[in-house]
Amino acid sequence: MMRITIERQPLEQIEAGALIVLVFEGRKEARFGAGDLVDAGEVAGKSLELTLLHRPPGVAATRVLLAGAGKPEKFDPAELRRVAGTAVRHLKSKSVKNIALALDPEHADGEYAAAAVEGAILGEFEPDRYKTEDDKKSVEAFAVAAAGGAAELDAAVARGRVLAEAQNFTRGLVNEPANRLTPAKVAEAARQMASEYQLECEVLERKQMERLGMGALLGVAQGSAEPPALVVIRYRPAQTDSKAHLGLVGKGVTFDTGGISIKPAEGMEKMKYDMAGGAAMIGAMRAIAQLKPAIPVTAFIPCVENMPGSRAQRPGDIVTAMSGKTIEVINTDAEGRLILADALSYARQQGATHLVDAATLTGAIVVALGHLNVGLFANDEAMRDRVLQAAKAEGERMWPMPLEDDYKEYLKSAFADLANVGGRWGGAVTAAVFLKEFAGDTPWVHLDIAGTAWLDESKPFLAKGPSGVPVRTLVRLATEWKDW
Ligand code: BES
Ligand code: ZN
Ligand code: ZN
């Protein structure tokens, strides 16, 4: 774990393996030996451009890393998060263990300081747990250097650390292969996290699901030798006058083969990340436990493995969901909406007044939005705006998608109340419309993270693999909650 501190002494006196200095486009940085490079046009301050200097005169740090921050008018905490991540990843590759980042006085506020810490911790993460080489590099210490920084920085830096560590916790879970992270193991990880942070954790087993009538969830689970688990994690504030109770519902398919409607072999190994929504909820609860928002929050994570086999459900099977609705299972690969249907019903039964779900739900959302935006669907405008606002503040990009009743047509079944798939077109929308049937009149937002929860290529500021989206948005939603 990285040691995180604030340095308030003059930048020149900071002892570190490297001091990161931001260079803006169009501003002639002359400090720290940058002057000649800027004059020669070698350092332009373009976003994420890096130039490493060794032992520049007059500086206690061993190195200065000039880090391009782009145009000053475009600079914001999200950009600083990326710059810090990029710089830390670069320095880590050079085995630098002790890093400080200089914040200019104009950016020495809480949002920027938190973003710098987040960028560093998120950038440091590597999904290399199962590589056995014994000389893995790691950054040991990161300091935000803000000469004369205000007292608000301490709380902000602590918050940034909590958020980024929670996000990395989620990334670690998502990265676990399905042989090591079964539904029971997700439950165990949740239990352990909950006991560490004084949250309440309960795990519903098959028997209890049967008693509750969760036929949709159980139908998906029946094909696997691994028993299902519905993980419930509760946070309750010490005192609150809020009437709201936030429910976080996350898809926890530890592996999605497609079931009898089996997926092609090509790329199937990636389907270990089909529990990224559930892992995001567990990570969010980890941060919420530490940041202690004023509203009660409960996470509901239905965990199953979607397998083919002699016990598996078949296309054409009709299941009865907890809500009483019957569903014709046309395609067993559309399993996420089935398990979420029952989890949403249970969350409402447990008293959630507002719901957010996150799920790697459809390939169609990747077709629609690529890998840049989470698809956001809502049955309530105020709730949609709350989530969009939190996402914007956290630099997690989300794009509103339609959710009109007319789409329900697509889910018509001749034999049951609804079918679990809606034909060829608008697949992300029909999946969301299916879920809407189970959210009822509870204000609800659905986040389709199939395109954003996993990076196929690394970015300068983030390793390839699990991204940890949308942990930060969920935590901000909870911590900034106000009844209206
Ligand atoms: N887990 C998949 C969705 C998915 C696809 C996530 C690609 C990440 C990357 C989901 O369970 C699924 O298989 N959905 C089907 C639905 C279809 C059968 C209507 C899909 O998107 O193809
Ligand atoms: Zn599937
Ligand atoms: Zn799936």
Side-chain angles (χ1 to χ4, degrees):
M1 204 101 71
M2 222 187 285
R3 200 165 62 245
I4 304 287
T5 53
I6 302 176
E7 283 285 359
R8 290 189 164 86
Q9 47 180 326
L11 300 179
E12 292 76 7
Q13 291 171 24
I14 292 172
E15 304 217 11
L19 175 67
I20 301 166
V21 175
L22 304 182
V23 183
F24 291 90
E25 241 178 295
R27 281 194 197 166
K28 295 214 156 193
E29 178 62 69
R31 300 172 298 167
F32 312 109
D36 289 348
L37 288 161
V38 170
D39 289 342
E42 278 177 53
V43 169
K46 290 245 184 301
S47 179
L48 309 188
E49 162 201 277
L50 298 178
T51 311
L52 187 59
L53 310 176
H54 280 241
R55 301 206 166 279
V59 181
T62 315
R63 305 169 188 80
V64 163
L65 181 62
L66 302 174
K71 298 206 167 73
E73 64 273 17
K74 278 193 147 179
F75 189 70
D76 62 4
E79 173 71 2
L80 178 60
R81 195 180 289 112
R82 288 188 291 266
V83 173
T86 304
V88 164
R89 288 176 67 72
H90 183 73
L91 292 167
K92 180 180 177 176
S93 77
K94 310 271 182 228
S95 302
V96 179
K97 293 185 178 312
N98 188 344
I99 300 172
L101 180 144
L103 267 190
D104 301 309
E106 62 175 306
H107 300 127
D109 69 15
E111 287 288 336
Y112 279 106
V117 170
E118 289 162 20
I121 295 174
L122 296 171
E124 215 265 343
F125 177 92
E126 287 294 334
D128 60 356
R129 168 162 189 204
Y130 294 109
K131 285 191 183 277
T132 56
E133 74 216 66
D134 37 34
D135 57 343
K136 279 185 201 160
K137 293 171 173 152
S138 72
V139 177
E140 285 163 10
F142 180 82
V144 175
E152 69 160 320
L153 291 193
D154 295 274
V157 161
R159 180 173 164 279
R161 179 205 180 104
V162 165
L163 276 167
E165 284 177 358
Q167 191 172 339
N168 281 353
F169 180 77
T170 291
R171 293 164 82 193
L173 282 175
V174 175
N175 193 49
E176 287 295 310
N179 63 326
R180 293 173 185 267
L181 196 74
T182 59
K185 288 287 174 53
V186 177
E188 197 182 306
R191 273 214 175 99
Q192 205 188 332
M193 183 284 287
S195 85
E196 201 172 322
Y197 295 99
Q198 286 81 50
L199 295 167
E200 205 186 294
C201 182
E202 185 188 352
V203 179
L204 277 64
E205 295 175 2
R206 201 193 302 265
K207 273 250 152 51
Q208 292 153 289
M209 297 175 194
E210 282 165 2
R211 252 180 261 134
L212 287 159
M214 297 181 164
L217 201 177
L218 287 165
V220 178
Q222 77 188 34
S224 174
E226 296 294 339
L230 176 53
V231 178
V232 182
I233 311 170
R234 297 187 178 88
Y235 162 79
R236 295 293 178 267
Q239 53 187 30
T240 181
D241 35 28
S242 173
K243 287 183 198 57
H245 173 180
L246 182 60
L248 304 176
V249 181
K251 173 176 174 181
V253 176
T254 58
F255 197 78
D256 185 8
T257 63
I260 296 297
S261 315
I262 199 163
K263 288 180 181 295
E266 168 103 29
M268 204 205 271
E269 71 281 357
K270 249 182 78 178
M271 279 301 123
K272 68 173 183 175
Y273 93 104
D274 214 18
M275 35 62 77
M281 298 318 179
I282 302 176
M285 293 306 286
R286 188 184 194 264
I288 284 168
Q290 296 169 80
L291 300 176
K292 304 193 193 312
I295 50 159
V297 186
T298 310
F300 302 89
I301 303 125
C303 302
V304 299
E305 187 180 55
N306 189 22
M307 295 290 271
S310 65
R311 280 269 154 65
Q313 73 177 342
R314 297 139 289 247
D317 282 5
I318 295 177
V319 294
T320 304
M322 180 182 169
S323 74
K325 284 200 163 74
T326 57
I327 304 164
E328 184 184 7
V329 180
I330 300 286
N331 188 318
T332 65
D333 197 9
E335 83 297 343
R337 63 198 75 181
L338 294 170
I339 67 170
L340 291 171
D342 282 339
L344 288 168
S345 296
Y346 187 65
R348 297 180 69 208
Q349 192 223 61
Q350 290 288 301
T353 61
H354 296 75
L355 290 167
V356 181
D357 81 69
T360 46
L361 203 63
T362 66
I365 200 67
V366 196
V367 175
L369 297 176
H371 299 289
L372 292 179
N373 273 287
V374 173
L376 181 149
F377 303 79
N379 66 356
D380 178 272
E381 277 184 32
M383 191 63 186
R384 177 196 64 197
D385 291 346
R386 278 175 189 260
V387 175
L388 278 175
Q389 201 187 3
K392 192 162 178 37
E394 291 295 345
E396 292 186 322
R397 288 160 75 179
M398 302 191 180
W399 202 265
M401 299 282 290
L403 190 73
E404 291 151 313
D405 281 332
D406 309 24
Y407 286 99
K408 238 192 102 178
E409 278 286 296
Y410 293 27
L411 293 171
K412 268 202 312 223
S413 159
F415 313 109
D417 295 336
L418 70 170
N420 80 326
V421 299
R424 188 162 154 72
W425 308 114
V429 184
T430 50
V433 168
F434 181 95
L435 295 181
K436 186 181 174 204
E437 290 298 301
F438 299 89
D441 54 10
T442 305
W444 155 79
V445 168
H446 158 57
L447 303 174
D448 194 335
I449 59 171
T452 45
W454 188 271
L455 303 176
D456 288 324
E457 295 300 333
S458 68
K459 297 188 188 271
F461 47 89
L462 219 56
K464 74 183 271 181
S467 69
V469 161
V471 169
R472 294 202 313 273
T473 297
L474 297 167
V475 177
R476 188 176 285 258
L477 178 71
T479 53
E480 292 191 348
W481 192 275
K482 281 181 193 65
D483 289 355
W484 66 123

PDB file of all heavy atoms in Angstrom, residues 251 253 256-259 261 263 271 274 306 331-336 360-361, ligand 2:
ATOM      1  N   LYS A 251     -24.551  -6.709 -10.935  1.00  0.00           N
ATOM      2  CA  LYS A 251     -24.522  -8.030 -11.585  1.00  0.00           C
ATOM      3  C   LYS A 251     -23.254  -8.786 -11.182  1.00  0.00           C
ATOM      4  O   LYS A 251     -22.143  -8.308 -11.387  1.00  0.00           O
ATOM      5  CB  LYS A 251     -24.582  -7.866 -13.106  1.00  0.00           C
ATOM      6  CG  LYS A 251     -24.379  -9.160 -13.894  1.00  0.00           C
ATOM      7  CD  LYS A 251     -24.548  -8.948 -15.403  1.00  0.00           C
ATOM      8  CE  LYS A 251     -24.198 -10.207 -16.200  1.00  0.00           C
ATOM      9  NZ  LYS A 251     -24.340 -10.027 -17.662  1.00  0.00           N
ATOM     10  N   VAL A 253     -22.116 -12.113 -12.165  1.00  0.00           N
ATOM     11  CA  VAL A 253     -21.929 -13.380 -12.887  1.00  0.00           C
ATOM     12  C   VAL A 253     -20.421 -13.661 -12.911  1.00  0.00           C
ATOM     13  O   VAL A 253     -19.667 -12.987 -13.619  1.00  0.00           O
ATOM     14  CB  VAL A 253     -22.531 -13.307 -14.305  1.00  0.00           C
ATOM     15  CG1 VAL A 253     -22.233 -14.593 -15.083  1.00  0.00           C
ATOM     16  CG2 VAL A 253     -24.038 -13.065 -14.233  1.00  0.00           C
ATOM     17  N   ASP A 256     -19.537 -16.051 -17.487  1.00  0.00           N
ATOM     18  CA  ASP A 256     -20.674 -16.129 -18.400  1.00  0.00           C
ATOM     19  C   ASP A 256     -20.283 -16.905 -19.655  1.00  0.00           C
ATOM     20  O   ASP A 256     -19.714 -16.345 -20.589  1.00  0.00           O
ATOM     21  CB  ASP A 256     -21.154 -14.709 -18.761  1.00  0.00           C
ATOM     22  CG  ASP A 256     -22.415 -14.733 -19.628  1.00  0.00           C
ATOM     23  OD1 ASP A 256     -22.988 -15.824 -19.821  1.00  0.00           O
ATOM     24  OD2 ASP A 256     -22.816 -13.650 -20.106  1.00  0.00           O
ATOM     25  N   THR A 257     -20.589 -18.210 -19.645  1.00  0.00           N
ATOM     26  CA  THR A 257     -20.350 -18.999 -20.865  1.00  0.00           C
ATOM     27  C   THR A 257     -21.451 -18.751 -21.888  1.00  0.00           C
ATOM     28  O   THR A 257     -21.319 -19.124 -23.050  1.00  0.00           O
ATOM     29  CB  THR A 257     -20.388 -20.512 -20.562  1.00  0.00           C
ATOM     30  OG1 THR A 257     -21.708 -20.845 -20.114  1.00  0.00           O
ATOM     31  CG2 THR A 257     -19.378 -20.898 -19.493  1.00  0.00           C
ATOM     32  N   GLY A 258     -22.556 -18.169 -21.431  1.00  0.00           N
ATOM     33  CA  GLY A 258     -23.755 -18.045 -22.248  1.00  0.00           C
ATOM     34  C   GLY A 258     -24.783 -19.108 -21.875  1.00  0.00           C
ATOM     35  O   GLY A 258     -25.943 -19.000 -22.214  1.00  0.00           O
ATOM     36  N   GLY A 259     -24.329 -20.166 -21.194  1.00  0.00           N
ATOM     37  CA  GLY A 259     -25.237 -21.276 -20.882  1.00  0.00           C
ATOM     38  C   GLY A 259     -25.493 -22.100 -22.144  1.00  0.00           C
ATOM     39  O   GLY A 259     -24.624 -22.208 -23.001  1.00  0.00           O
ATOM     40  N   SER A 261     -27.266 -21.402 -24.656  1.00  0.00           N
ATOM     41  CA  SER A 261     -27.045 -20.482 -25.793  1.00  0.00           C
ATOM     42  C   SER A 261     -25.586 -20.034 -25.735  1.00  0.00           C
ATOM     43  O   SER A 261     -25.263 -18.853 -25.543  1.00  0.00           O
ATOM     44  CB  SER A 261     -27.966 -19.266 -25.697  1.00  0.00           C
ATOM     45  OG  SER A 261     -29.290 -19.645 -25.372  1.00  0.00           O
ATOM     46  N   LYS A 263     -21.641 -19.068 -25.858  1.00  0.00           N
ATOM     47  CA  LYS A 263     -20.874 -18.044 -26.561  1.00  0.00           C
ATOM     48  C   LYS A 263     -19.782 -18.694 -27.412  1.00  0.00           C
ATOM     49  O   LYS A 263     -19.325 -19.794 -27.089  1.00  0.00           O
ATOM     50  CB  LYS A 263     -20.198 -17.110 -25.543  1.00  0.00           C
ATOM     51  CG  LYS A 263     -21.122 -16.169 -24.805  1.00  0.00           C
ATOM     52  CD  LYS A 263     -20.332 -15.306 -23.832  1.00  0.00           C
ATOM     53  CE  LYS A 263     -21.241 -14.361 -23.063  1.00  0.00           C
ATOM     54  NZ  LYS A 263     -21.910 -13.354 -23.899  1.00  0.00           N
ATOM     55  N   MET A 271     -14.974 -13.186 -20.095  1.00  0.00           N
ATOM     56  CA  MET A 271     -16.256 -13.190 -19.375  1.00  0.00           C
ATOM     57  C   MET A 271     -16.113 -13.412 -17.868  1.00  0.00           C
ATOM     58  O   MET A 271     -17.087 -13.494 -17.148  1.00  0.00           O
ATOM     59  CB  MET A 271     -17.221 -14.185 -20.009  1.00  0.00           C
ATOM     60  CG  MET A 271     -17.895 -13.599 -21.241  1.00  0.00           C
ATOM     61  SD  MET A 271     -18.837 -12.091 -20.838  1.00  0.00           S
ATOM     62  CE  MET A 271     -18.084 -10.910 -21.943  1.00  0.00           C
ATOM     63  N   ASP A 274     -17.694 -10.484 -15.902  1.00  0.00           N
ATOM     64  CA  ASP A 274     -19.144 -10.287 -15.906  1.00  0.00           C
ATOM     65  C   ASP A 274     -19.706 -10.047 -14.498  1.00  0.00           C
ATOM     66  O   ASP A 274     -20.911  -9.933 -14.323  1.00  0.00           O
ATOM     67  CB  ASP A 274     -19.819 -11.498 -16.572  1.00  0.00           C
ATOM     68  CG  ASP A 274     -21.070 -11.111 -17.340  1.00  0.00           C
ATOM     69  OD1 ASP A 274     -21.236  -9.919 -17.655  1.00  0.00           O
ATOM     70  OD2 ASP A 274     -21.888 -12.011 -17.623  1.00  0.00           O
ATOM     71  N   ASN A 306     -22.852 -18.747 -15.013  1.00  0.00           N
ATOM     72  CA  ASN A 306     -23.775 -19.129 -16.093  1.00  0.00           C
ATOM     73  C   ASN A 306     -23.144 -20.232 -16.930  1.00  0.00           C
ATOM     74  O   ASN A 306     -22.263 -19.965 -17.745  1.00  0.00           O
ATOM     75  CB  ASN A 306     -24.098 -17.898 -16.953  1.00  0.00           C
ATOM     76  CG  ASN A 306     -25.221 -18.163 -17.961  1.00  0.00           C
ATOM     77  OD1 ASN A 306     -26.032 -19.079 -17.773  1.00  0.00           O
ATOM     78  ND2 ASN A 306     -25.272 -17.365 -19.016  1.00  0.00           N
ATOM     79  N   ASN A 331     -33.155 -16.760 -24.679  1.00  0.00           N
ATOM     80  CA  ASN A 331     -31.704 -16.904 -24.850  1.00  0.00           C
ATOM     81  C   ASN A 331     -31.071 -16.958 -23.461  1.00  0.00           C
ATOM     82  O   ASN A 331     -31.181 -16.009 -22.680  1.00  0.00           O
ATOM     83  CB  ASN A 331     -31.177 -15.704 -25.660  1.00  0.00           C
ATOM     84  CG  ASN A 331     -29.717 -15.868 -26.057  1.00  0.00           C
ATOM     85  OD1 ASN A 331     -28.890 -16.314 -25.250  1.00  0.00           O
ATOM     86  ND2 ASN A 331     -29.396 -15.519 -27.295  1.00  0.00           N
ATOM     87  N   THR A 332     -30.405 -18.070 -23.168  1.00  0.00           N
ATOM     88  CA  THR A 332     -29.844 -18.226 -21.814  1.00  0.00           C
ATOM     89  C   THR A 332     -28.640 -17.314 -21.584  1.00  0.00           C
ATOM     90  O   THR A 332     -28.169 -17.175 -20.455  1.00  0.00           O
ATOM     91  CB  THR A 332     -29.423 -19.691 -21.546  1.00  0.00           C
ATOM     92  OG1 THR A 332     -28.343 -20.032 -22.433  1.00  0.00           O
ATOM     93  CG2 THR A 332     -30.585 -20.638 -21.742  1.00  0.00           C
ATOM     94  N   ASP A 333     -28.142 -16.696 -22.675  1.00  0.00           N
ATOM     95  CA  ASP A 333     -27.018 -15.766 -22.535  1.00  0.00           C
ATOM     96  C   ASP A 333     -27.486 -14.389 -22.049  1.00  0.00           C
ATOM     97  O   ASP A 333     -26.668 -13.565 -21.645  1.00  0.00           O
ATOM     98  CB  ASP A 333     -26.280 -15.652 -23.880  1.00  0.00           C
ATOM     99  CG  ASP A 333     -24.896 -15.056 -23.740  1.00  0.00           C
ATOM    100  OD1 ASP A 333     -24.445 -14.882 -22.590  1.00  0.00           O
ATOM    101  OD2 ASP A 333     -24.270 -14.755 -24.771  1.00  0.00           O
ATOM    102  N   ALA A 334     -28.767 -14.139 -22.090  1.00  0.00           N
ATOM    103  CA  ALA A 334     -29.285 -12.885 -21.523  1.00  0.00           C
ATOM    104  C   ALA A 334     -29.634 -13.153 -20.058  1.00  0.00           C
ATOM    105  O   ALA A 334     -30.784 -13.012 -19.631  1.00  0.00           O
ATOM    106  CB  ALA A 334     -30.482 -12.399 -22.316  1.00  0.00           C
ATOM    107  N   GLU A 335     -28.605 -13.555 -19.280  1.00  0.00           N
ATOM    108  CA  GLU A 335     -28.807 -14.010 -17.904  1.00  0.00           C
ATOM    109  C   GLU A 335     -28.725 -12.867 -16.899  1.00  0.00           C
ATOM    110  O   GLU A 335     -29.306 -12.943 -15.822  1.00  0.00           O
ATOM    111  CB  GLU A 335     -27.766 -15.089 -17.551  1.00  0.00           C
ATOM    112  CG  GLU A 335     -26.379 -14.566 -17.096  1.00  0.00           C
ATOM    113  CD  GLU A 335     -25.623 -13.782 -18.153  1.00  0.00           C
ATOM    114  OE1 GLU A 335     -25.980 -13.889 -19.337  1.00  0.00           O
ATOM    115  OE2 GLU A 335     -24.691 -13.034 -17.779  1.00  0.00           O
ATOM    116  N   GLY A 336     -28.006 -11.807 -17.267  1.00  0.00           N
ATOM    117  CA  GLY A 336     -27.802 -10.711 -16.317  1.00  0.00           C
ATOM    118  C   GLY A 336     -29.117 -10.091 -15.894  1.00  0.00           C
ATOM    119  O   GLY A 336     -29.385  -9.884 -14.696  1.00  0.00           O
ATOM    120  N   THR A 360     -22.494  -5.447 -16.488  1.00  0.00           N
ATOM    121  CA  THR A 360     -21.937  -5.697 -17.824  1.00  0.00           C
ATOM    122  C   THR A 360     -23.036  -6.419 -18.583  1.00  0.00           C
ATOM    123  O   THR A 360     -22.985  -7.631 -18.768  1.00  0.00           O
ATOM    124  CB  THR A 360     -20.688  -6.585 -17.715  1.00  0.00           C
ATOM    125  OG1 THR A 360     -20.985  -7.684 -16.824  1.00  0.00           O
ATOM    126  CG2 THR A 360     -19.504  -5.817 -17.153  1.00  0.00           C
ATOM    127  N   LEU A 361     -24.032  -5.656 -19.017  1.00  0.00           N
ATOM    128  CA  LEU A 361     -25.290  -6.283 -19.427  1.00  0.00           C
ATOM    129  C   LEU A 361     -25.366  -6.667 -20.894  1.00  0.00           C
ATOM    130  O   LEU A 361     -25.883  -7.725 -21.222  1.00  0.00           O
ATOM    131  CB  LEU A 361     -26.471  -5.368 -19.056  1.00  0.00           C
ATOM    132  CG  LEU A 361     -27.803  -6.100 -18.903  1.00  0.00           C
ATOM    133  CD1 LEU A 361     -27.757  -7.117 -17.768  1.00  0.00           C
ATOM    134  CD2 LEU A 361     -28.946  -5.127 -18.677  1.00  0.00           C
TER     135      LEU A 361
HETATM  136 ZN    ZN B   2     -24.707 -13.577 -21.130  1.00  0.00          ZN
END
